Amino acid sequence: MTLSGFMNFDELLAFHCSPVFVGIKPANLVSLPHGDQVAEQEITALVSAYNEKFAAQHIIFRKLCYCKKRFLILVYNKEKLEAILQDAGYQACLVAMGYRKDAPLEEQLELLEEHLQRNGAFPHEIGVFLGYPLEDILGFIINGGKNCKYSGYWKVYGDVTAARRLFDLYERCSAALLQKVAAGIPLQNAVSMI
């Protein structure tokens, strides 16, 4: 399987999802190209294996989209994601985008999958599921993705100082986890060491 320069799936996950593994972010996306090198069955088996490995940490791997160019896998902490989705501001944002108020997580994820499949582009509500600040999600929508104050893991329209601190924390988590995985420590073991 082609992993965009990473040696293995553990390394790719350590790079992209370390804030989820250490509990400072509710979710993250992993994108894998598909084609001759990656079959849907291979992704299904990978997701199933990682769900077993991380069940004790309440980390879930979910295929969100099988698009023309990629597979999208949502890696999330179920408890943290459910807590974020209970926030009144995030709920209002989701309701405005066609979600049912107080819907269970599974229903919300199914609708997110539908929106990804139907639109072929990232729906704006993806920022809610990834735990982006509401001010930045709304700023992105209002400004059509332009005129941000800062850009890092997402486009920042609100508190740049807080965003930079968070981005730095994400970077440090990724570096620490990648170092352990590169040293041969399996990801699920490395996570417990951070």
Side-chain angles (χ1 to χ4, degrees), residues 4-192:
S4 305
F6 295 98
M7 298 298 290
N8 53 51
F9 196 57
D10 274 8
E11 195 174 278
L12 179 129
L13 289 172
F15 181 79
H16 288 290
C17 300
S18 59
V20 176
F21 292 125
V22 300
I24 58 175
K25 197 168 186 290
N28 230 352
L29 284 174
V30 175
S31 177
L32 297 172
H34 72 74
D36 294 337
Q37 294 95 4
V38 181
E40 187 169 10
Q41 298 86 347
E42 189 176 8
I43 297 297
T44 299
L46 194 62
V47 165
S48 178
Y50 275 80
N51 274 324
E52 286 181 33
K53 287 181 185 182
F54 285 91
Q57 289 101 335
H58 307 284
I59 303 292
I60 298 173
F61 295 75
R62 181 188 183 110
K63 283 190 309 181
L64 268 189
C65 182
Y66 174 74
C67 308
K68 292 179 182 177
K69 296 181 181 178
R70 66 184 180 266
F71 292 101
L72 283 179
I73 300 171
L74 183 69
V75 179
Y76 65 97
N77 179 303
K78 184 179 181 194
E79 294 164 356
K80 291 199 176 295
L81 187 53
E82 285 175 331
I84 283 227
L85 296 177
Q86 293 303 310
D87 176 86
Y90 286 126
Q91 273 198 11
C93 183
L94 289 175
V95 167
M97 295 177 184
Y99 290 75
R100 191 169 58 84
K101 186 175 184 339
D102 296 319
L105 178 59
E106 184 60 29
E107 180 182 315
Q108 292 174 323
L109 290 172
E110 287 173 5
L111 189 53
L112 177 63
E113 284 179 29
E114 286 178 31
H115 288 180
L116 278 164
Q117 295 288 348
R118 185 179 25 193
N119 299 335
F122 281 88
H124 293 306
E125 70 265 22
I126 196 77
V128 171
F129 291 91
L130 299 177
Y132 297 171
L134 187 57
E135 184 177 22
D136 296 335
I137 297 167
L138 297 176
F140 184 89
I141 294 168
I142 291 165
N143 290 281
K146 298 177 182 169
N147 306 318
C148 66
K149 296 178 186 177
Y150 185 74
S151 184
Y153 283 86
W154 61 81
K155 291 187 177 183
V156 179
Y157 293 86
D159 188 339
V160 172
T161 303
R164 284 185 178 177
R165 277 195 305 266
L166 200 51
F167 295 167
D168 182 57
L169 182 59
Y170 292 172
E171 294 288 330
R172 286 185 279 133
C173 284
S174 291
L177 203 50
L178 270 172
Q179 183 179 31
K180 297 203 180 313
V181 170
I185 299 169
L187 181 61
Q188 67 268 28
N189 296 341
V191 166
S192 65

